[in-house]
Amino acid sequence: MARHGALSAPNPLLQLLAMLGVVVLVAVVSAVGVGAFAVWDTARAAADHAVDLEGDEPLPPTIGEIEGGVNVLLVGTDSCEGANAALSGACQAGDTEGERNDVTMLLHISDNPRRVTVVSFPRDMLVPIPACPRADGGEYSAMSSQMLNASYMYGGLACTVKTVEALTGEDIQFAGAIRWTGVINMSDAIGGVDVCVTGDVHDPHTGLTLTAGTHTLQGVQALQFLRMRHGVADGSDLGRISNQQQFMSSLVRKLQGESVLSNASTLFSLATTAMKQVTEGQLLLSRSLTNPTLMVQIAMAVKDVDYADIVFVQYPTRYIPGNGRSDVVPVRDAGDVLFAALRENKPLVLTGSTSAAAGAPEVAGEATKPTPEASVTPTPGTTDAPADPTDAATPPPADAAVELPSSITGTTAAQVTCSQPQR
């Protein structure tokens, strides 16, 4: 089982943003009517570079929130093609093999009431890989135990989708994969994301150095932070996942708190950048995700979700005894609890740590989602009649929350966390 070096971990958040970005930006662009030709042109470009998934079906052209739940698989790959090679010591040393999914996340959007859950899957998790189609029309044989990040090398994005579906029992309708340079360009389009570290951090592998405190990162620095492994927590891939979750939480707060999702000009810029990554081969979308109407529908479904209902978790795993901090195996019983709760659209309660790694991020505070100010102008000469208690509608019973096993670690977008330096 070949593996890449420590530098080969892309960034998950930007891939999330790439997806949500493409979704939201093109969504708003089309909804607001800004640049109709640009929307048509970018959608055509995306379709020309799309990947077919089993069960892909076009969506009817209705505008409004997408109906039902949605699963989007987001993948970050470690390509050594073009400018990507300069970002990896492993690429420059020539000791890599193929292109792998070093970051794999499942974005789950529930049906009403809307909740968002992002599940990160460790790249070194040993899982069965099902038989996957080859580009030449043949088929790769199924494998009983391989690292998850080998699935992309064997059969591309469609194979990674099938692998995660087999592990979780979920039906994944949409998928996208982004390379390093695509992440950098998307980060620049966003305008930077705030991250926090509790002490001075230096990672010689990515070259990132941060002093204690809060920093606004974009471009190459954002990529370095998302790839950074040896500078935080216990130096493991699990520690890197928690670093990425901090970045994603901060991104969500920026998108909603600074009204990025309602700024047509910003979204148009983000959409243009995202689609440029598609045409340049840095961002790959399943054909099902290239429908502009679909992008609008998904954007409308997630833009108003409360911070507390946006949850970032790691799929539960355990280390193989005597194998050090490397390969892990899934804890399926705990994972089944998580996905059963998602299928039943139950609120999630985190009972575990913020990370499965030693030196988990510290919770520095709670963020409150800004609420738009509402004003009511009374009609002259009228007064409000006292409320009649008998007219009040009986509130629906609260959904029974599911307490996740402590082996499922993570945070919500409401939690402001700070990464700890590696000790």
Side-chain angles (χ1 to χ4, degrees):
M1 296 180 292
R3 72 178 74 236
H4 285 186
L7 287 181
S8 60
N11 74 215
L13 186 225
L14 257 299
Q15 86 191 39
L16 199 199
L17 196 280
M19 279 345 301
L20 277 185
V22 172
V23 165
V24 173
L25 46 91
V26 176
V28 174
V29 173
S30 57
V32 177
V34 179
F37 171 79
V39 174
W40 170 82
D41 190 52
T42 54
R44 182 189 62 179
D48 289 343
H49 295 78
V51 170
D52 289 316
L53 299 182
E54 292 182 6
D56 266 4
E57 294 182 2
L59 227 71
T62 56
I63 298 299
E65 288 189 17
I66 190 169
E67 295 182 0
V70 179
N71 284 318
V72 185
L73 191 72
L74 308 171
V75 170
T77 68
D78 59 1
S79 170
C80 288
E81 291 185 14
N84 295 289
L87 300 169
S88 168
C91 288
Q92 296 173 45
D95 61 356
T96 64
E97 179 185 359
E99 182 174 1
R100 300 170 184 270
N101 51 303
D102 270 356
V103 173
T104 304
M105 300 187 305
L106 181 64
L107 169 65
H108 175 83
I109 305 169
S110 72
D111 197 1
N112 292 321
R114 295 294 188 183
R115 300 183 177 96
V116 176
T117 306
V118 180
V119 184
S120 294
F121 299 88
R123 66 171 189 170
D124 295 338
M125 181 169 60
L126 297 172
V127 296
I129 296 181
C132 293
R134 301 169 61 102
D136 60 8
E139 187 176 70
Y140 291 101
S141 299
M143 292 166 280
S144 61
S145 182
Q146 283 281 337
M147 288 188 295
L148 177 64
N149 74 341
S151 61
Y152 197 93
M153 180 182 71
Y154 285 116
L157 183 58
C159 189
T160 302
V161 167
K162 294 187 67 174
T163 301
V164 175
E165 285 182 332
L167 174 66
T168 64
E170 291 295 292
D171 174 35
I172 299 174
Q173 307 99 325
F174 315 110
I178 190 169
R179 292 174 170 175
W180 290 332
T181 53
V183 167
I184 291 172
N185 293 331
M186 290 301 297
S187 174
D188 285 337
I190 296 165
V193 173
D194 291 341
V195 301
C196 171
V197 290
T198 61
D200 296 347
V201 167
H202 174 65
D203 180 9
H205 295 274
T206 62
L208 181 63
T209 298
L210 297 174
T211 57
T214 301
H215 303 265
T216 301
L217 305 182
Q218 67 183 85
V220 174
Q221 279 195 320
L223 176 64
Q224 290 172 323
F225 185 82
L226 291 165
R227 295 176 58 205
M228 182 168 60
R229 167 179 176 175
H230 295 282
V232 295
D234 59 7
S236 70
D237 183 52
L238 304 187
R240 174 166 47 201
I241 286 176
S242 62
N243 220 38
Q244 296 164 349
Q245 290 175 338
Q246 181 203 155
F247 189 96
M248 287 189 287
S249 291
S250 181
L251 174 63
V252 166
R253 293 192 293 270
K254 174 170 184 171
L255 290 176
Q256 290 194 355
E258 297 182 14
S259 300
V260 174
L261 301 186
S262 60
N263 186 314
S265 176
T266 300
L267 290 173
F268 183 78
S269 174
L270 191 56
T272 302
T273 300
M275 287 309 166
K276 183 178 181 182
Q277 306 317 300
V278 171
T279 58
E280 293 180 353
Q282 304 306 312
L283 174 61
L284 180 68
L285 304 177
S286 64
R287 190 170 303 280
S288 55
L289 199 56
T290 61
N291 183 318
T293 299
L294 169 66
M295 294 179 180
V296 178
Q297 291 174 314
I298 295 177
M300 295 182 71
V302 304
K303 67 184 181 66
D304 293 325
V305 177
D306 288 339
Y307 290 165
D309 287 327
I310 301 175
V311 182
F312 302 93
V313 296
Q314 179 201 302
Y315 189 91
T317 59
R318 61 175 177 82
Y319 285 109
I320 299 174
N323 200 36
R325 294 192 179 279
S326 181
D327 299 342
V328 295
V329 293
V331 180
R332 291 181 178 267
D333 288 347
D336 290 345
V337 172
L338 168 64
F339 282 98
L342 295 182
R343 282 189 287 272
E344 296 173 6
N345 195 12
K346 299 292 187 181
L348 303 179
V349 177
L350 297 172
T351 66
S353 172
T354 56
S355 172
E362 295 182 355
V363 177
E366 294 288 322
T368 303
K369 180 179 176 180
T371 55
E373 296 182 0
S375 60
V376 177
T377 303
T379 302
T382 63
T383 59
D384 292 334
D388 182 350
T390 61
D391 292 338
T394 302
D399 291 336
V402 174
E403 290 192 355
L404 297 178
S406 60
S407 58
I408 298 179
T409 60
T411 63
T412 72
Q415 296 175 297
V416 180
T417 60
C418 291
S419 297
Q420 297 193 58
Q422 184 178 1
R423 292 180 175 84

